[in-house]
Amino acid sequence: MRIGELSRRTGVPVPTIKYYVREGLLPAGQLTSPNQAAYGEAHERRLRLIRALLDVGGLKVAAIAEVLAAVDDPAKSIHKVLGVASDLLVPRYPAAEPDEALLAAREQVDELVTQRGWQDVHDCPAKESLAMALATLRRVGHEDFVQVLDVYAEAAEEVARADLEAVAARSARSALDGVVESVIVGTVVGEAMFSALRHLAHVDRSSRMYGEAASHGQAAAGGDGEITR
Amino acid sequence: MRIGELSRRTGVPVPTIKYYVREGLLPAGQLTSPNQAAYGEAHERRLRLIRALLDVGGLKVAAIAEVLAAVDDPAKSIHKVLGVASDLLVPRYPAAEPDEALLAAREQVDELVTQRGWQDVHDCPAKESLAMALATLRRVGHEDFVQVLDVYAEAAEEVARADLEAVAARSARSALDGVVESVIVGTVVGEAMFSALRHLAHVDRSSRMYGEAASHGQAAAGGDGEITR
DNA sequence: TAGTATGGATAGCGGCACTGTCCACTATCC
DNA sequence: GGATAGTGGACAGTGCCGCTATCCATACTA
């Protein structure tokens, strides 16, 4: 297959494919002559994965390059890949000097971690990310929202269990290669899935709580009664 | 308070504040003379909220403007605001023409919705977002990952219940204004919190499953043994 | 009264994900 | 075998976005 067909099959424009190759996301095709190269199914697959990470996961091109390097690294454990995926997926804050809210939040996080008995989590960027979120609650004057933390943690544990079970199920019948990929896909797409489900559950629940007849329209069009519509 | 102090208190540079005012995120200060204006505590609060939505929520400036317009709209129900928040938070895909994977995914979503008995959810963009995620799984050859859907949905329901309870708790002792804000904050910051918690739970669980001694380093540095290190 | 801060307006910047153009060549169709 | 379309590779340009810099006339501040 040449680049044009690869483009047609995946819907990714040819110049974009070239760009991905330049950026190291996609290996170059097999050169058959100075200006002719052949692409295989692996390229197609990889290209779809790239688009998934880009569109659904919202990862940056540079981050995707790192993730894919980890996928292609022949010597890595699931545990390690999960760490890499976490590290690259978790938002990275530019590390200003910590204010009071952040300091308190960090303690809160450590407390939660020990209370939950979470292992091997000590230098995990997700901890800082969580602290950031908690600190933000404090800064905007909604610290009372932390009352949800336990429910969230419990739900997160169950989600994580399901995630790793899915990975294990795949590893039972697939090469390690596909397994590592499934960790990435599960982490990234799983997040999008959960986010959407949470929104749906919000709408459902608020519909039940605040009025059967309510509907939620499509933007801030503003200005009718309190609950009804 | 003048703009300089507002800047000092919030850590937001003066030109950036001016920019937010221009973009309609922040109301202008009370003019006391042609080139002198006074800002109050409300401005400070609002500014922190803007930074939260921007940094933690990753919202675009334009989307924040819409959200804040909804917050300031005196006639809106919690249910409505939640809808607006959902609509603006859920990733919006540029609507290419649906392929087979997306069509199948949409059906899957509808099935889930009826099975769960979710109400008032019919034209919710989160549905499309979920369908997108499921379609992506299919396209990258990981459709088996949908086995987690039920666990996810269950977890999402519990999270949503906790979210709305927190909002209700606040509404019991605060003006409606703060309540609407709490819906926004809860939706946005809650997502970041859950994401971080899921990552932590992943690391914990995979540590338990794949080796006590494992640790997960800080990036794709590549290349040691399978589980140990 | 000198120096700094302010509101308002407009132009510019840096990052990022592409996209367009050009070239010498190759594949393909008639 | 000649016209047409496609190709790999290089590099410049584009469009969006969240700021940031500069300027000006005016107003507080030491």
Side-chain angles (χ1 to χ4, degrees):
Chain A
M1 162 174 34
R2 293 187 304 167
I3 204 173
E5 191 178 348
L6 184 59
S7 166
R8 239 167 292 117
R9 284 210 209 178
T10 57
V12 180
V14 170
T16 304
I17 296 176
K18 289 181 176 183
Y19 166 66
Y20 292 157
V21 172
R22 269 197 320 272
E23 296 300 310
L25 303 197
L26 192 66
Q30 271 290 351
L31 274 185
T32 61
S33 33
N35 68 336
Q36 216 65 192
Y39 299 82
E41 210 181 310
H43 288 95
E44 188 179 337
R45 210 181 144 69
R46 172 57 58 96
L47 198 43
R48 287 191 211 279
L49 178 58
I50 291 169
R51 293 313 282 234
L53 298 181
L54 212 48
D55 297 343
V56 176
L59 295 205
K60 298 183 184 191
V61 165
I64 294 175
E66 286 187 71
V67 171
L68 294 181
V71 170
D72 294 336
D73 183 347
K76 72 284 165 195
S77 64
I78 291 171
H79 186 55
K80 227 169 218 315
V81 171
L82 223 157
V84 173
S86 268
D87 291 0
L88 294 171
L89 226 114
V90 163
R92 228 50 179 281
Y93 301 101
E97 74 185 34
D99 64 347
E100 179 206 354
L102 185 55
L103 260 26
R106 280 189 188 143
E107 275 181 40
Q108 212 171 348
V109 171
D110 284 329
E111 205 176 301
L112 179 80
V113 166
T114 57
Q115 177 204 314
R116 285 270 147 194
W118 281 341
Q119 287 184 9
D120 209 22
V121 133
H122 311 300
D123 52 348
C124 196
K127 263 178 62 184
E128 187 66 13
S129 180
L130 179 56
M132 261 302 198
L134 295 175
T136 298
L137 285 180
R138 209 169 278 252
R139 284 194 278 258
V140 298
H142 287 262
E143 44 273 281
D144 49 343
F145 191 73
V146 297
Q147 72 182 230
V148 303
L149 241 191
D150 273 335
V151 175
Y152 271 48
E154 195 66 38
E157 282 190 10
E158 267 161 50
V159 162
R161 180 173 318 138
D163 288 339
L164 288 225
E165 261 166 31
V167 170
R170 193 180 183 91
S171 78
R173 64 176 195 312
S174 170
L176 181 61
D177 205 58
V179 176
V180 169
E181 203 187 272
S182 77
V183 171
I184 306 291
V185 171
T187 305
V188 172
V189 182
E191 176 142 352
M193 278 171 52
F194 187 85
S195 167
L197 287 167
R198 189 170 86 116
H199 284 296
L200 291 175
H202 274 161
V203 171
D204 166 65
R205 195 124 208 104
S206 92
S207 161
R208 286 170 198 282
M209 287 175 70
Y210 297 105
E212 298 288 309
S215 105
H216 79 277
Q218 41 270 44
D224 40 18
E226 167 53 3
I227 263 100
T228 52
R229 182 282 213 273
Chain B
M1 157 173 41
R2 292 187 306 166
I3 203 172
E5 191 178 346
L6 183 59
S7 165
R8 240 169 291 119
R9 284 210 208 178
T10 57
V12 179
V14 171
T16 304
I17 297 176
K18 289 183 176 182
Y19 166 66
Y20 291 157
V21 172
R22 268 198 319 274
E23 296 300 311
L25 303 196
L26 191 67
Q30 271 290 352
L31 274 184
T32 61
S33 33
N35 67 337
Q36 217 65 193
Y39 299 82
E41 210 182 309
H43 288 95
E44 187 179 339
R45 208 180 146 69
R46 172 56 58 95
L47 198 42
R48 287 190 210 281
L49 177 59
I50 291 169
R51 293 314 280 233
L53 298 181
L54 212 48
D55 297 343
V56 176
L59 295 204
K60 298 185 183 190
V61 166
I64 295 176
E66 287 188 71
V67 171
L68 295 181
V71 170
D72 294 336
D73 182 349
K76 73 281 164 196
S77 63
I78 290 171
H79 186 54
K80 230 171 218 312
V81 170
L82 223 157
V84 172
S86 268
D87 291 359
L88 294 172
L89 229 123
V90 163
R92 229 49 178 283
Y93 302 101
E97 75 184 34
D99 63 347
E100 179 205 354
L102 184 55
L103 259 27
R106 279 189 189 144
E107 275 181 39
Q108 214 171 346
V109 171
D110 285 329
E111 204 176 301
L112 180 80
V113 166
T114 57
Q115 178 203 314
R116 286 269 147 194
W118 281 341
Q119 288 183 7
D120 209 20
V121 134
H122 311 300
D123 52 349
C124 194
K127 263 178 62 182
E128 187 65 15
S129 180
L130 178 55
M132 261 304 198
L134 295 175
T136 298
L137 286 181
R138 209 167 279 250
R139 284 195 277 258
V140 298
H142 286 262
E143 44 273 282
D144 49 344
F145 190 73
V146 297
Q147 71 182 226
V148 304
L149 241 191
D150 273 337
V151 175
Y152 272 46
E154 195 67 39
E157 281 189 10
E158 267 161 49
V159 162
R161 180 173 317 137
D163 288 340
L164 288 224
E165 261 165 31
V167 170
R170 193 180 182 93
S171 77
R173 64 178 196 310
S174 169
L176 181 61
D177 205 58
V179 176
V180 169
E181 202 186 273
S182 77
V183 171
I184 306 291
V185 171
T187 305
V188 172
V189 182
E191 176 143 351
M193 279 171 52
F194 186 85
S195 167
L197 287 167
R198 188 170 86 116
H199 284 295
L200 292 174
H202 276 161
V203 171
D204 166 66
R205 196 126 207 101
S206 93
S207 161
R208 285 171 199 281
M209 287 174 71
Y210 297 106
E212 298 288 308
S215 103
H216 80 275
Q218 39 270 47
D224 40 20
E226 166 55 2
I227 264 98
T228 53
R229 185 278 216 273

